[in-house]
Amino acid sequence: MTRTSSGEGPQCAGPSIRAAEEPAGGERGTPPPASRGVHAPSREGLLPARGPDGGQVDVGPSGTGPFRADIVAERTPPSVWSRDFALFFVARALARLGDTMLPVALAAGLLQYGYGVGAVGLAMAASAASFAGLVIFGGVIADRFSTRKLMIGADLVRLVTQSVAAALFFTDHVVLWQICLIGAVNGVAGAVFQPGVASTVPRLATDVQGANGAIRIAESGAQLGGPALAGLLVAFASAGGVFVAHAATFGLSALCLLLLRLPPAAPGSRRHGATFRADLAEGWREFRARTWLWGVIAIWCVYMIAVWGPTVPLVATEVVQQHGPRAYGLINSALGAGTVVGGLVALRLRPRRMLRAGSFALFAFACFPASVGAGLGVGAISAGAVIAGAGMSVWGVMWATSVQTQVAPDVLNRIHAYDVAGSLAMMPVGQALAGPAAAALGADRVLLIGGVMSLVVAAALLSVPAIRELVRVDGPVPRIGANAALAAPAREDGRRAG
């Protein structure tokens, strides 16, 4: 699921309408060419949308009318690459590169100044807690203001904070509470930044799935190189040098976003309530109205507690103890390589029911914890990591694309914020329970249980009709009129019926 401290959880309109959230006239770009969209008909309150078969259909002024094929859009092949998407692609790759360097810098730097492992965890938790606690509010802010400007501002804030952290390490004035405060500020900035990622991707590429696949590959490649680069900087410079490099990634990301040219807002796409609280409540209603959406998040909470949360610390402990730290690095690289492979597969795989395909791919993740829990050799564990990474990557692309194309632009940032918050909420619980569970049952058994639970979670996703039968939509879902919130389930059911 994007630039967060979660370590992987993390996005709406397709080619028919470029519904943007920037205030009209507030962006420096020009409207997209006609080949990337269709204009709204002259009849007031009538916008085109995509039906279950991908054809052009109508939604009436209230948003509750039946689908009709009266309007046929000019169809063009979907595309991914453009100057502006390339800039966003580079920004996301740099973001991920910097984020994967940070744990190395914190661990090496704080241990060097006499702090223990608990201090390192506290510094990381300060950022994660502020992010998870505030990202929902960040979604409301992103739906009310210019997401591009918010993302640039968040990057600039983190450029300053990481520069301050570098100065603390260079001057040998490292105080834990100051490092934690910097982490907390970074978490707040991330909570403002993250929701806007969801609505930016479909605005820059008509092929939303291809764009997500490309970004997944970029982030996976950065994840492979980030820790190694951080290790070299620590060895040949210092922990402060890593913080300088991390600050530079924020500066370059902000520059890429500054050079982006987004289309002006479509009329009516900036609808929001009179108050911040009203927008927050509307986002929750929209989230609840989609069974496939909250169903995935509810199941994902179980996944975080029973699979991902315990797997991360226990795999590290088991592999390092049995095979050494080099083997752990190799296995991590194999996991990253698998995510690259999965991203490449997701670029070409075009299932009609995306969440069904993603759920089947998620079965593959069981290979990772199960291979470690079974006490297999480094080669077999690495092979399992490649398979697991590929499966997780395919699921991630299918999920992100589904959210971006099934949710209306004017609530997408809020919906994505609930998605991120729900996905991350149970991860600390799973990590906290990993130690006691390993002490009671043994780490190998806990990992084997994690492998079984990974299969159970994938099966649970497939068992929910709203998830299993959701039909892909390659165009946006307009929300028009006062009854839009009530219309959402009807449109969802219409797609499933297709």
Side-chain angles (χ1 to χ4, degrees):
M1 311 180 170
T2 47
R3 188 167 194 169
T4 72
S5 55
S6 65
E8 287 300 88
Q11 302 190 43
C12 129
S16 59
I17 305 174
R18 284 296 115 190
E21 60 273 79
E22 308 296 345
E27 289 296 339
R28 295 183 296 111
T30 57
S35 62
R36 292 188 59 190
V38 294
H39 296 291
S42 59
R43 289 170 290 170
E44 184 178 358
L46 186 63
L47 295 179
R50 298 283 183 184
D53 60 354
Q56 203 70 28
V57 295
D58 286 356
V59 178
S62 68
T64 59
F67 289 116
R68 303 196 318 269
D70 333 11
I71 299 175
V72 179
E74 180 182 344
R75 307 191 69 157
T76 57
S79 61
V80 173
W81 292 102
S82 64
R83 168 193 174 276
D84 293 317
F85 179 75
L87 286 169
F88 188 71
F89 176 89
V90 172
R92 298 311 302 150
L94 289 169
R96 189 63 183 158
L97 180 68
D99 286 347
T100 57
M101 294 168 62
L102 183 59
V104 178
L106 283 174
L110 291 176
L111 292 175
Q112 177 185 349
Y113 285 92
Y115 293 101
V117 176
V120 177
L122 185 62
M124 293 181 180
S127 177
S130 59
F131 174 86
L134 297 174
V135 68
I136 291 177
F137 302 101
V140 177
I141 294 172
D143 271 332
R144 294 178 73 93
F145 301 101
S146 165
T147 54
R148 173 175 159 273
K149 293 177 181 177
L150 288 172
M151 289 192 288
I152 293 171
D155 271 343
L156 293 178
V157 167
R158 290 179 289 187
L159 167 63
V160 172
T161 56
Q162 294 307 89
S163 298
V164 171
L168 293 177
F169 278 94
F170 280 131
T171 59
D172 296 325
H173 183 73
V174 178
V175 180
L176 181 59
W177 73 264
Q178 294 175 341
I179 299 299
C180 290
L181 178 61
I182 288 173
V185 174
N186 287 340
V188 174
V192 173
F193 183 101
Q194 184 60 34
V197 173
S199 56
T200 299
V201 172
R203 294 176 61 187
L204 297 177
T206 56
D207 182 3
V208 180
Q209 181 183 336
N212 284 318
I215 291 173
R216 174 71 61 161
I217 293 170
E219 292 180 341
S220 300
Q223 188 171 357
L224 282 172
L229 178 59
L232 289 174
L233 287 173
V234 169
F236 293 101
S238 67
V242 183
F243 280 98
V244 170
H246 193 203
T249 66
F250 287 118
L252 292 173
S253 174
L255 178 61
C256 289
L257 294 172
L258 183 65
L259 295 174
L260 274 180
R261 290 179 297 184
L262 296 176
S269 66
R270 294 294 307 153
R271 296 173 62 255
H272 56 74
T275 65
F276 189 94
R277 183 177 179 179
D279 277 353
L280 193 64
E282 182 188 31
W284 176 246
R285 287 194 302 272
E286 291 287 333
F287 180 79
R288 289 190 311 166
R290 294 165 172 83
T291 304
W292 62 270
L293 184 63
W294 64 257
V296 169
I297 297 302
I299 295 171
W300 207 253
C301 288
V302 176
Y303 181 84
M304 284 294 178
I305 294 174
V307 183
W308 187 260
T311 293
V312 173
L314 293 184
V315 164
T317 302
E318 289 293 288
V319 171
V320 170
Q321 288 179 347
Q322 296 179 15
H323 305 288
R326 290 186 180 180
Y328 180 61
L330 175 64
I331 291 168
N332 264 341
S333 296
L335 186 65
T339 61
V340 173
V341 172
L344 291 171
V345 171
L347 280 173
R348 302 187 65 85
L349 184 66
R350 303 285 168 156
R352 187 162 183 260
R353 290 176 171 83
M354 301 180 71
L355 294 185
R356 177 187 293 184
S359 299
F360 276 116
L362 199 58
F363 278 108
F365 189 79
C367 296
F368 188 39
S371 62
V372 179
L376 302 182
V378 174
I381 296 174
S382 298
V386 170
I387 296 171
M392 179 63 76
S393 187
V394 170
W395 161 261
V397 172
M398 298 301 165
W399 169 247
T401 305
S402 295
V403 174
Q404 291 167 355
T405 55
Q406 297 280 352
V407 177
D410 58 333
V411 292
L412 177 58
N413 292 318
R414 280 168 282 174
I415 291 289
H416 180 60
Y418 279 110
D419 165 21
V420 172
S423 299
L424 295 179
M426 294 296 107
M427 185 174 67
V429 177
Q431 292 174 330
L433 292 176
L441 303 174
D444 54 345
R445 292 183 180 177
V446 175
L447 287 170
L448 288 173
I449 293 172
V452 172
M453 288 302 300
S454 184
L455 301 177
V456 171
V457 164
L461 290 170
L462 290 169
S463 71
V464 180
I467 299 172
R468 182 181 67 246
E469 301 299 332
L470 186 71
V471 177
R472 73 180 296 137
V473 176
D474 290 320
V477 181
R479 274 189 352 121
I480 312 155
N483 297 324
L486 298 175
R491 288 195 297 269
E492 178 185 322
D493 293 342
R495 293 189 195 98
R496 290 203 301 268

